[in-house]
Amino acid sequence: MEWYDLEVDGRQTVKFVDLQLPLLSPTAAASSSSNSPKSPSDDDQFVDKKLGGIIRHGEWAWLAKNSMLQIVSVRSGQTISTYEFCESRGYDSCCIKCVEELFPNNPEIMVLAVILENFHGPSGGGSFVVLYSIELSCVLCTYELSLHITCARFLNSSTCKRTLLQNFDGCLSVGSEEGVVVLLDLNMGKMCQIQSEAAESTFTPCHIVDYSIPLKDIHRNFRQCKQDGIRFGLQMEGECNGIFI
């Protein structure tokens, strides 16, 4: 696959450097998980998937191929950052599903939310939500959900204003094949602290509560998660009447 930046007048094109990214084959996946029997659908799961998108208001682009993420300059095609979500880093049999830019209007925050599909997790797999620092080329935070996430969207402060999300320090909404939407508190203050320390974070617990429980219980769970230093999320299923206070 070749990516090009086309000027409006068509006089200039820039070819992105195509990295030799590792392919995740069914054979390799089966050998790395000897306790999990190979299912008939493995051949369909581990394919040469290539994804991409534009970030930083058109300055950069992200490219993904299976478990490898690459950030490139749209103007020059030069690689800015790369990262492989491999088994040695705790991401066994994973494939990048989608990528979402966080705080796109804040040039000082260069963090992406990377959604990884985990094919061989408990109960038929699930997903990892990874906060990745482009500046440091490292993971700031990872948490696992027992859902098959298909999309992710960052919700800005104006969207969260005067709702249950107004106390969130950055909010990421993720949707799943199961029909469940989870609104995650990104706790970006803590993430910026990790980023300033240039230390790669380990997996972080995530506590999800249903939005239909009493409001006082939602606030109590939220405060407890802040106190314990774990992630908090609100889960919604099917139709709902909103999350306004």
Side-chain angles (χ1 to χ4, degrees):
M1 178 180 66
E2 295 180 345
W3 293 78
Y4 293 89
D5 171 31
L6 300 178
E7 295 289 346
V8 175
D9 58 10
R11 290 182 300 176
Q12 179 184 2
T13 63
V14 177
K15 184 179 184 302
F16 293 165
V17 178
D18 192 10
L19 291 182
Q20 297 299 316
L21 306 181
L23 302 182
L24 187 58
S25 66
T27 304
S31 62
S32 65
S33 182
S34 58
N35 295 329
S36 301
K38 182 178 181 296
S39 65
S41 60
D42 279 345
D43 291 334
D44 298 327
Q45 292 174 336
F46 296 100
V47 295
D48 186 11
K49 295 183 179 180
K50 297 179 181 180
L51 304 171
I54 300 297
I55 57 176
R56 302 280 289 183
H57 298 288
E59 294 182 10
W60 297 349
W62 65 267
L63 309 174
K65 185 176 181 182
N66 289 331
S67 60
M68 179 70 79
L69 177 68
Q70 179 187 10
I71 311 300
V72 299
S73 167
V74 171
R75 179 174 295 275
S76 66
Q78 295 300 310
T79 297
I80 297 170
S81 175
T82 60
Y83 194 89
E84 183 183 2
F85 298 93
C86 55
E87 182 179 358
S88 62
R89 289 169 168 160
Y91 307 103
D92 183 22
S93 301
C94 289
C95 180
I96 296 174
K97 192 73 173 180
C98 60
V99 175
E100 176 73 357
E101 182 180 9
L102 305 182
F103 300 94
N105 295 321
N106 187 340
E108 296 182 358
I109 299 180
M110 293 180 284
V111 178
L112 301 177
V114 182
I115 307 301
L116 302 175
E117 185 173 5
N118 180 15
F119 296 112
H120 292 295
S123 303
S127 302
F128 292 116
V129 178
V130 182
L131 301 190
Y132 174 75
S133 169
I134 300 175
E135 182 180 7
L136 301 177
S137 295
C138 76
V139 169
L140 302 178
C141 179
T142 300
Y143 33 96
E144 185 175 7
L145 299 179
S146 58
L147 299 169
H148 295 84
I149 299 175
T150 57
C151 59
R153 289 293 181 270
F154 173 73
L155 304 182
N156 58 33
S157 57
S158 61
T159 303
C160 299
K161 189 177 181 180
R162 300 181 65 182
T163 74
L164 282 175
L165 310 178
Q166 64 184 353
N167 294 323
F168 281 21
D169 189 8
C171 179
L172 182 70
S173 172
V174 296
S176 68
E177 293 179 356
E178 292 83 357
V180 174
V181 173
V182 178
L183 305 170
L184 297 168
D185 178 14
L186 297 176
N187 198 6
M188 285 306 299
K190 178 65 174 178
M191 291 303 98
C192 291
Q193 178 183 347
I194 294 175
Q195 188 169 3
S196 65
E197 296 171 353
E200 189 156 0
S201 175
T202 57
F203 285 65
T204 303
C206 186
H207 180 59
I208 308 296
V209 301
D210 195 278
Y211 84 101
S212 62
I213 67 174
L215 182 60
K216 63 178 182 179
D217 291 335
I218 293 178
H219 286 303
R220 177 177 55 81
N221 278 273
F222 176 76
R223 290 192 298 267
Q224 189 64 48
C225 286
K226 286 287 188 182
Q227 180 179 337
D228 296 340
I230 64 177
R231 289 293 174 274
F232 174 82
L234 276 176
Q235 176 174 312
M236 300 183 292
E237 298 183 51
E239 296 183 359
C240 63
N241 295 322
I243 52 175
F244 296 93
I245 296 178

